[in-house]
Amino acid sequence: MTDLADSLGPDKVKLGVCCTLWWNDDFPTIDADISFGQAVSEMALAGFQGCSIGHKYPSDAAALKAALDLRGLQVSEPWTSTYFTIGKMRQKTIAAFEETLAHIKALGGTELVVAEFGASSHLLPVDVFANRPVFTDAQWDALTSGLDELGKIAGSAGMKLSYHHHMGTGVMTRADVDRLMASTDPALVHLLLDTAHIAFAGDDPLDLARTYADRIGHVHLKSIRPEVVSRVREEGLSFQEGVELGVFTVPGDGAIDFRPILEVLADADYQGWLVVEAEQDPNKANPLEYAKKARAYLADVLGW
């Protein structure tokens, strides 16, 4: 068994947490009136070193950095949607990416996370499995060439680009991820391993980690509740309905065993962020309670 305390120690990785424990950026109606200040204070209280950026955060970089510095937090990543697969959106996508890059750089961040949302069904009230887009060859070419261009822009700014596969999008399944990895430049486009999104899609997060261990640039540690996944499939539910039913949860809860996944990362000498994420309804799942549960689980597995 790999000694994770050394190979994934605090000198190698940083532990972050996503604000989707406290509210939902995709579905603002999933909300418990928790303020930005309360959320970031609870992130620090739970023992995390960083966080992603959400819609309740101050838009001014100086104000945001001061609020995070006060609590000993760093920015783990922003979220940037890309739209390379739909009409006349390439330049707008690149412009939005450059705007995000400048904002993150002002905050001291070094990571950029993107996901293609062209024709995505994950925000719609429709069966998320039956209605996710299936890209044509031309759309794949537009996406992968666009990602390589974003990777060059990120690299020239001293930053790293990682791609986030996501439910309800054209890059949802293992086969989609394989095609994207094969069609982009490994030096420019890294993989964001999201353990729960690939498990929700029906594929194995451990096998995905093993296959792309040397190309993983960012990690979202999130678990699933299999009984909810089955219900979403059988009843043809939407992504939002799955989230509201509790399809996602934190490490230390749910069905995914994270130790072997973390051992794969350790063996690959992974260095970077491990970000706990779980889009849950904060009215049903107390965010601080679940953040502390995840941190305690990681302390037990990592040894710190």
Side-chain angles (χ1 to χ4, degrees):
M1 183 179 292
T2 303
D3 183 356
L4 296 178
D6 289 333
S7 50
L8 287 181
D11 58 326
K12 301 283 184 63
V13 300
K14 291 181 282 190
L15 300 181
V17 64
C18 183
C19 54
T20 54
L21 267 73
W22 284 265
W23 58 74
N24 195 293
D25 287 311
D26 284 338
F27 309 108
T29 57
I30 302 176
D31 188 82
D33 293 326
I34 298 173
S35 68
F36 160 75
Q38 179 182 338
V40 291
S41 291
E42 291 184 354
M43 292 172 187
L45 179 62
F48 290 95
Q49 301 160 280
C51 58
S52 61
I53 291 180
H55 74 275
K56 292 188 179 181
Y57 283 40
S59 57
D60 179 76
L64 175 55
K65 190 172 188 309
L68 297 180
D69 286 348
L70 181 64
R71 295 163 175 88
L73 296 172
Q74 301 174 325
V75 170
S76 59
E77 87 261 16
W79 174 277
T80 303
S81 304
T82 62
Y83 298 94
F84 290 118
T85 59
I86 57 177
K88 299 182 178 179
M89 286 299 294
R90 187 180 182 98
Q91 292 310 314
K92 289 182 180 178
T93 293
I94 293 171
F97 178 80
E98 290 177 324
E99 185 177 333
T100 299
L101 186 153
H103 184 59
I104 294 305
K105 196 161 189 177
L107 292 167
T110 59
E111 306 275 341
L112 291 157
V113 170
V114 299
E116 173 65 22
F117 276 6
S120 173
S121 66
H122 82 286
L123 297 178
L124 302 177
V126 300
D127 184 323
V128 68
F129 283 100
N131 295 287
R132 67 105 173 185
V134 177
F135 295 151
T136 65
D137 289 344
Q139 286 175 308
W140 274 108
D141 290 344
L143 172 59
T144 54
S145 67
L147 292 176
D148 279 348
E149 184 169 351
L150 296 187
K152 289 178 184 175
I153 294 169
S156 66
M159 304 179 82
K160 181 170 64 179
L161 176 73
S162 295
Y163 188 88
H164 188 321
H165 52 93
H166 196 288
M167 284 295 296
T169 74
V171 186
M172 181 176 103
T173 67
R174 174 61 189 272
D176 300 329
V177 175
D178 287 344
R179 180 163 181 170
L180 187 137
M181 290 290 100
S183 305
T184 50
D185 186 336
L188 301 174
V189 181
H190 302 272
L191 175 66
L192 185 154
L193 171 66
D194 189 300
T195 52
H197 273 279
I198 201 68
F200 193 174
D203 294 303
D204 181 359
L206 177 58
D207 189 62
L208 183 65
R210 285 173 174 153
T211 301
Y212 297 108
D214 293 334
R215 204 167 162 183
I216 293 172
H218 204 83
V219 179
H220 282 177
L221 299 174
K222 179 166 56 182
S223 195
I224 59 164
R225 295 184 174 98
E227 67 277 16
V228 182
V229 173
S230 296
R231 187 172 170 187
V232 172
R233 283 188 177 275
E234 292 165 4
E235 298 181 21
L237 302 181
S238 69
F239 182 66
Q240 180 174 352
E241 288 172 317
V243 169
E244 291 176 332
L245 287 170
V247 70
F248 294 132
T249 186
V250 297
D253 194 18
I256 296 178
D257 181 1
F258 288 88
R259 174 174 281 282
I261 295 172
L262 292 168
E263 287 177 345
V264 168
L265 295 173
D267 291 343
D269 196 27
Y270 175 79
Q271 298 187 33
W273 283 99
L274 300 174
V275 180
V276 168
E277 190 183 30
E279 295 129 289
Q280 296 195 90
D281 184 346
N283 294 293
K284 301 175 183 174
N286 182 287
L288 178 58
E289 175 187 343
Y290 276 83
K292 292 179 71 174
K293 179 183 292 189
R295 186 63 186 88
Y297 173 83
L298 290 175
D300 180 58
V301 174
L302 295 174
W304 60 278

